[in-house]
Coordinates of all heavy atoms in Angstrom, one line a residue:
M19 N -7.8 -4.0 6.1 CA -6.5 -3.6 5.5 C -6.7 -3.2 4.1 O -6.0 -2.3 3.6 CB -5.5 -4.7 5.7 CG -4.8 -4.8 6.9 SD -3.7 -3.4 7.2 CE -3.1 -3.9 8.8
Q20 N -7.5 -4.0 3.3 CA -7.6 -3.7 1.9 C -8.2 -2.3 1.6 O -7.9 -1.7 0.6 CB -8.5 -4.8 1.2 CG -7.8 -6.1 1.2 CD -6.4 -6.0 0.5 OE1 -6.3 -5.4 -0.6 NE2 -5.4 -6.6 1.1
R21 N -8.9 -1.8 2.6 CA -9.5 -0.4 2.4 C -8.4 0.6 2.3 O -8.6 1.7 1.7 CB -10.4 -0.1 3.6 CG -11.2 1.1 3.4 CD -12.3 1.2 4.5 NE -12.8 2.5 4.4 CZ -12.6 3.5 5.2 NH1 -11.9 3.3 6.3 NH2 -13.1 4.7 5.1
L22 N -7.2 0.4 2.9 CA -6.1 1.3 2.8 C -5.7 1.6 1.3 O -5.3 2.7 1.0 CB -4.8 0.7 3.4 CG -4.8 0.6 4.9 CD1 -3.5 -0.2 5.3 CD2 -4.8 2.0 5.5
F23 N -6.0 0.7 0.4 CA -5.6 0.8 -1.0 C -6.7 1.4 -1.9 O -6.5 1.6 -3.1 CB -5.1 -0.5 -1.5 CG -3.9 -1.0 -0.9 CD1 -4.0 -2.0 0.1 CD2 -2.7 -0.5 -1.2 CE1 -2.8 -2.5 0.7 CE2 -1.5 -1.0 -0.6 CZ -1.6 -2.0 0.3
E24 N -7.8 1.8 -1.3 CA -8.9 2.4 -2.0 C -8.6 3.9 -2.2 O -8.0 4.5 -1.4 CB -10.2 2.3 -1.3 CG -10.7 0.8 -1.3 CD -12.0 0.7 -0.5 OE1 -12.6 1.7 -0.1 OE2 -12.4 -0.4 -0.2
A25 N -9.0 4.4 -3.4 CA -8.7 5.8 -3.7 C -9.5 6.8 -2.7 O -10.6 6.5 -2.4 CB -9.1 6.1 -5.1
F26 N -8.8 7.8 -2.3 CA -9.4 8.8 -1.4 C -9.8 8.3 -0.1 O -10.7 8.9 0.6 CB -10.5 9.6 -2.1 CG -10.1 10.1 -3.5 CD1 -10.6 9.5 -4.6 CD2 -9.3 11.2 -3.6 CE1 -10.2 10.0 -5.9 CE2 -8.9 11.7 -4.8 CZ -9.3 11.1 -6.0
T27 N -9.1 7.3 0.4 CA -9.4 6.8 1.7 C -8.3 7.2 2.7 O -7.1 7.0 2.4 CB -9.4 5.2 1.7 OG1 -10.5 4.8 0.9 CG2 -9.6 4.6 3.1
R28 N -8.7 7.8 3.8 CA -7.7 8.2 4.8 C -8.1 7.6 6.1 O -9.3 7.6 6.5 CB -7.7 9.7 5.0 CG -7.2 10.4 3.8 CD -7.1 11.9 3.9 NE -7.8 12.4 5.1 CZ -7.8 13.7 5.4 NH1 -7.2 14.6 4.7 NH2 -8.5 14.1 6.5
V29 N -7.2 6.9 6.8 CA -7.5 6.3 8.0 C -7.0 7.1 9.2 O -7.3 6.8 10.4 CB -6.9 4.8 8.1 CG1 -7.6 3.9 7.1 CG2 -5.4 4.9 7.9
T30 N -6.3 8.2 9.0 CA -5.9 9.1 10.0 C -6.4 10.5 9.6 O -6.9 10.8 8.5 CB -4.4 9.2 10.2 OG1 -3.8 9.7 9.1 CG2 -3.9 7.8 10.6
Q31 N -6.3 11.4 10.5 CA -6.8 12.8 10.3 C -5.6 13.7 9.8 O -5.7 14.9 10.0 CB -7.4 13.4 11.6 CG -8.6 12.7 12.0 CD -9.7 12.7 10.9 OE1 -10.0 13.7 10.3 NE2 -10.3 11.6 10.7
R32 N -4.6 13.1 9.2 CA -3.5 13.9 8.7 C -3.9 14.5 7.3 O -4.8 14.1 6.7 CB -2.3 13.0 8.5 CG -1.8 12.5 9.9 CD -0.5 12.0 9.9 NE -0.1 11.7 11.2 CZ 1.0 11.0 11.5 NH1 1.7 10.5 10.6 NH2 1.3 10.7 12.8
D33 N -3.0 15.5 6.9 CA -3.2 16.1 5.6 C -3.0 15.1 4.5 O -2.3 14.1 4.6 CB -2.3 17.3 5.4 CG -2.5 18.4 6.4 OD1 -3.7 18.5 6.9 OD2 -1.6 19.2 6.6
G34 N -3.6 15.4 3.3 CA -3.5 14.5 2.2 C -4.8 14.1 1.6 O -5.8 14.3 2.2
L35 N -4.7 13.6 0.4 CA -5.9 13.2 -0.3 C -6.3 11.7 -0.1 O -7.4 11.3 -0.4 CB -5.7 13.4 -1.9 CG -5.6 14.9 -2.3 CD1 -5.3 15.0 -3.8 CD2 -6.8 15.7 -1.9
G36 N -5.4 10.9 0.4 CA -5.6 9.5 0.6 C -5.5 8.7 -0.7 O -6.3 7.8 -0.9
I37 N -4.6 9.2 -1.6 CA -4.5 8.5 -2.9 C -3.2 7.8 -3.1 O -3.0 7.0 -4.0 CB -4.8 9.5 -4.0 CG1 -5.1 8.7 -5.3 CG2 -3.7 10.5 -4.2 CD1 -5.8 9.6 -6.4
D38 N -2.2 8.0 -2.2 CA -0.9 7.5 -2.3 C -0.8 6.0 -2.5 O -0.2 5.5 -3.4 CB 0.0 7.9 -1.1 CG 0.1 9.4 -1.0 OD1 -0.2 10.2 -2.0 OD2 0.5 9.9 0.1
L39 N -1.4 5.3 -1.5 CA -1.3 3.8 -1.6 C -2.1 3.3 -2.7 O -1.8 2.2 -3.3 CB -1.8 3.2 -0.3 CG -0.9 3.5 0.9 CD1 -1.5 2.9 2.2 CD2 0.5 2.8 0.7
F40 N -3.2 4.0 -3.2 CA -3.9 3.5 -4.4 C -3.0 3.6 -5.6 O -3.0 2.6 -6.4 CB -5.1 4.5 -4.6 CG -5.8 4.2 -5.9 CD1 -6.7 3.1 -6.0 CD2 -5.7 5.1 -6.9 CE1 -7.4 2.9 -7.2 CE2 -6.3 4.9 -8.1 CZ -7.2 3.8 -8.3
I41 N -2.2 4.6 -5.7 CA -1.3 4.7 -6.9 C -0.2 3.7 -6.8 O 0.1 3.0 -7.8 CB -0.7 6.1 -6.9 CG1 -1.8 7.2 -7.3 CG2 0.4 6.2 -7.9 CD1 -1.3 8.6 -7.1
V42 N 0.3 3.4 -5.6 CA 1.3 2.4 -5.5 C 0.8 1.0 -5.9 O 1.4 0.3 -6.6 CB 1.9 2.4 -4.0 CG1 2.7 1.1 -3.8 CG2 2.6 3.6 -3.7
R43 N -0.4 0.7 -5.4 CA -1.0 -0.6 -5.7 C -1.3 -0.8 -7.2 O -1.0 -1.8 -7.7 CB -2.3 -0.8 -4.9 CG -2.9 -2.3 -5.2 CD -4.1 -2.5 -4.5 NE -5.2 -1.7 -5.1 CZ -6.4 -1.8 -4.8 NH1 -6.8 -2.6 -3.8 NH2 -7.3 -1.0 -5.4
Q44 N -1.8 0.3 -7.8 CA -2.0 0.2 -9.3 C -0.7 -0.1 -10.0 O -0.7 -0.9 -11.0 CB -2.7 1.5 -9.8 CG -4.1 1.7 -9.2 CD -5.0 0.6 -9.5 OE1 -5.1 -0.4 -8.8 NE2 -5.7 0.8 -10.6
G45 N 0.4 0.6 -9.6 CA 1.6 0.4 -10.3 C 2.2 -1.0 -10.1 O 2.7 -1.6 -11.0
I46 N 2.0 -1.5 -8.9 CA 2.5 -2.9 -8.6 C 1.7 -3.9 -9.3 O 2.2 -4.9 -9.8 CB 2.4 -3.1 -7.0 CG1 3.4 -2.2 -6.3 CG2 2.7 -4.6 -6.7 CD1 4.8 -2.3 -6.7
R47 N 0.4 -3.7 -9.4 CA -0.5 -4.6 -10.2 C 0.0 -4.6 -11.7 O 0.0 -5.6 -12.3 CB -1.9 -4.1 -10.1 CG -2.6 -4.6 -8.9 CD -4.1 -4.3 -9.1 NE -4.8 -4.8 -7.9 CZ -6.0 -4.5 -7.6 NH1 -6.7 -3.6 -8.4 NH2 -6.6 -5.0 -6.6
M48 N 0.3 -3.4 -12.2 CA 0.7 -3.4 -13.6 C 2.0 -4.2 -13.9 O 2.2 -4.7 -14.9 CB 0.9 -1.9 -14.1 CG -0.4 -1.1 -14.2 SD -0.1 0.6 -14.5 CE 0.5 0.6 -16.1
L49 N 2.9 -4.2 -12.8 CA 4.1 -5.0 -12.9 C 3.9 -6.5 -12.6 O 4.8 -7.3 -12.7 CB 5.1 -4.4 -12.0 CG 5.6 -3.0 -12.3 CD1 6.5 -2.5 -11.1 CD2 6.4 -3.0 -13.6
G50 N 2.7 -6.8 -12.2 CA 2.4 -8.2 -11.9 C 3.0 -8.7 -10.6 O 3.3 -9.9 -10.5
R51 N 3.2 -7.8 -9.6 CA 3.9 -8.2 -8.4 C 2.9 -8.1 -7.2 O 2.0 -7.2 -7.2 CB 5.1 -7.3 -8.1 CG 6.1 -7.4 -9.2 CD 6.8 -8.7 -9.1 NE 7.7 -8.9 -10.2 CZ 8.2 -10.1 -10.5 NH1 7.8 -11.1 -9.9 NH2 9.0 -10.2 -11.5
P52 N 3.1 -8.8 -6.2 CA 2.3 -8.7 -5.0 C 2.8 -7.7 -4.0 O 3.9 -7.3 -4.1 CB 2.4 -10.1 -4.3 CG 3.7 -10.6 -4.8 CD 4.0 -10.0 -6.1
I53 N 1.8 -7.2 -3.2 CA 2.2 -6.3 -2.1 C 1.6 -6.8 -0.9 O 0.4 -7.3 -0.9 CB 1.7 -4.8 -2.4 CG1 2.2 -3.9 -1.3 CG2 0.2 -4.7 -2.6 CD1 2.0 -2.4 -1.7
E54 N 2.3 -6.8 0.2 CA 1.8 -7.3 1.5 C 1.9 -6.2 2.6 O 2.8 -5.4 2.6 CB 2.8 -8.4 1.9 CG 2.1 -9.7 2.3 CD 3.2 -10.8 2.6 OE1 4.0 -10.6 3.5 OE2 3.2 -11.8 1.9
V55 N 0.9 -6.3 3.5 CA 0.8 -5.3 4.5 C 0.8 -6.0 5.9 O 0.0 -7.0 6.0 CB -0.4 -4.4 4.4 CG1 -0.4 -3.4 5.5 CG2 -0.5 -3.7 3.1
S56 N 1.6 -5.6 6.8 CA 1.5 -6.1 8.2 C 1.5 -4.9 9.1 O 2.2 -3.9 8.8 CB 2.6 -7.0 8.5 OG 3.9 -6.4 8.4
S57 N 0.7 -4.9 10.2 CA 0.5 -3.8 11.0 C 0.5 -4.3 12.5 O 0.0 -5.3 12.8 CB -0.8 -3.1 10.7 OG -0.9 -1.9 11.5
A58 N 1.1 -3.5 13.3 CA 1.1 -3.7 14.8 C 0.6 -2.5 15.5 O 1.2 -1.4 15.2 CB 2.5 -4.2 15.3
A59 N -0.3 -2.6 16.4 CA -0.8 -1.5 17.1 C 0.3 -0.7 17.8 O 1.2 -1.3 18.4 CB -1.9 -1.9 18.1
C60 N 0.3 0.6 17.7 CA 1.3 1.5 18.3 C 2.7 1.3 17.8 O 3.6 1.9 18.4 CB 1.3 1.3 19.9 SG -0.3 1.7 20.6
R61 N 2.9 0.5 16.8 CA 4.2 0.3 16.2 C 4.3 0.7 14.8 O 5.4 1.0 14.3 CB 4.6 -1.2 16.4 CG 4.7 -1.6 17.9 CD 5.5 -2.8 18.1 NE 6.9 -2.6 17.7 CZ 7.7 -3.6 17.4 NH1 7.3 -4.8 17.5 NH2 8.9 -3.3 17.1
G62 N 3.2 0.7 14.1 CA 3.2 1.1 12.7 C 2.9 0.0 11.7 O 2.5 -1.1 12.1
S63 N 3.1 0.3 10.5 CA 2.8 -0.7 9.4 C 4.0 -0.9 8.5 O 4.8 0.0 8.3 CB 1.6 -0.2 8.6 OG 0.5 0.0 9.4
R64 N 4.0 -2.1 7.9 CA 5.1 -2.4 7.0 C 4.4 -2.8 5.6 O 3.6 -3.7 5.6 CB 6.0 -3.5 7.5 CG 7.1 -3.9 6.5 CD 7.9 -5.0 7.0 NE 7.1 -6.2 7.3 CZ 7.6 -7.2 8.0 NH1 8.8 -7.2 8.6 NH2 6.8 -8.2 8.2
F65 N 4.9 -2.2 4.6 CA 4.4 -2.5 3.2 C 5.6 -3.2 2.5 O 6.6 -2.6 2.4 CB 4.0 -1.3 2.5 CG 2.8 -0.6 3.2 CD1 3.1 0.3 4.2 CD2 1.5 -0.8 2.8 CE1 2.0 0.9 4.9 CE2 0.5 -0.2 3.4 CZ 0.7 0.7 4.5
S66 N 5.3 -4.4 2.0 CA 6.4 -5.2 1.3 C 6.0 -5.4 -0.1 O 4.9 -5.8 -0.4 CB 6.6 -6.5 2.0 OG 6.9 -6.4 3.4
I67 N 6.9 -5.1 -1.0 CA 6.7 -5.3 -2.4 C 7.8 -6.3 -2.9 O 9.0 -6.2 -2.6 CB 6.9 -4.0 -3.2 CG1 5.9 -3.0 -2.8 CG2 6.8 -4.2 -4.7 CD1 6.1 -1.6 -3.2
F68 N 7.3 -7.4 -3.5 CA 8.2 -8.5 -3.9 C 8.6 -8.4 -5.4 O 7.7 -8.2 -6.2 CB 7.6 -9.8 -3.6 CG 7.3 -9.9 -2.1 CD1 6.0 -9.5 -1.6 CD2 8.2 -10.4 -1.3 CE1 5.8 -9.7 -0.3 CE2 8.0 -10.5 0.1 CZ 6.7 -10.1 0.6
A69 N 9.8 -8.5 -5.7 CA 10.3 -8.5 -7.1 C 11.3 -9.6 -7.3 O 11.9 -10.1 -6.3 CB 11.0 -7.2 -7.3
S70 N 11.5 -10.0 -8.5 CA 12.4 -11.1 -8.9 C 13.8 -10.5 -8.8 O 14.0 -9.3 -9.1 CB 12.2 -11.6 -10.3 OG 10.9 -12.2 -10.3
R71 N 14.7 -11.3 -8.5 CA 16.1 -10.9 -8.4 C 16.7 -10.9 -9.8 O 16.5 -11.8 -10.6 CB 16.9 -11.9 -7.6 CG 18.0 -11.4 -6.9 CD 18.6 -12.4 -6.0 NE 18.7 -11.9 -4.7 CZ 19.4 -12.4 -3.7 NH1 20.0 -13.6 -3.9 NH2 19.5 -11.8 -2.5
A72 N 17.4 -9.9 -10.2 CA 18.1 -9.8 -11.5 C 19.3 -10.8 -11.6 O 19.9 -11.0 -10.6 CB 18.6 -8.4 -11.8
E73 N 19.5 -11.3 -12.7 CA 20.6 -12.3 -12.9 C 21.7 -11.7 -13.7 O 21.5 -10.9 -14.5 CB 20.1 -13.6 -13.5 CG 19.1 -14.3 -12.6 CD 18.8 -15.7 -13.0 OE1 19.6 -16.2 -13.8 OE2 17.8 -16.2 -12.6

């Protein structure tokens, strides 16, 4: 799963450079927030970004 977040990594044969999730992870890291990935075969993947609630 962690390989998904590496620059220029594509796990499917679709168009693109494979840099989208790398950019997202870098931004989330700069904000000091975690990102979680869960995946189910034939159902897809879920990416969760956790943030504090504003008061």
Side-chain angles (χ1 to χ4, degrees):
M19 277 295 179
Q20 291 304 314
R21 191 167 168 254
L22 287 174
F23 294 102
E24 293 176 8
F26 305 107
T27 298
R28 294 182 349 178
V29 293
T30 65
Q31 296 301 317
R32 296 195 176 168
D33 293 338
L35 296 174
I37 197 163
D38 301 341
L39 290 175
F40 172 77
I41 292 170
V42 169
R43 185 181 68 175
Q44 296 300 87
I46 296 302
R47 276 187 179 169
M48 290 174 69
L49 294 172
R51 298 292 176 195
I53 185 169
E54 232 176 58
V55 181
S56 60
S57 185
C60 300
R61 297 199 62 201
S63 299
R64 178 178 59 195
F65 298 84
S66 301
I67 299 168
F68 299 91
S70 299
R71 212 176 231 191
E73 295 191 24

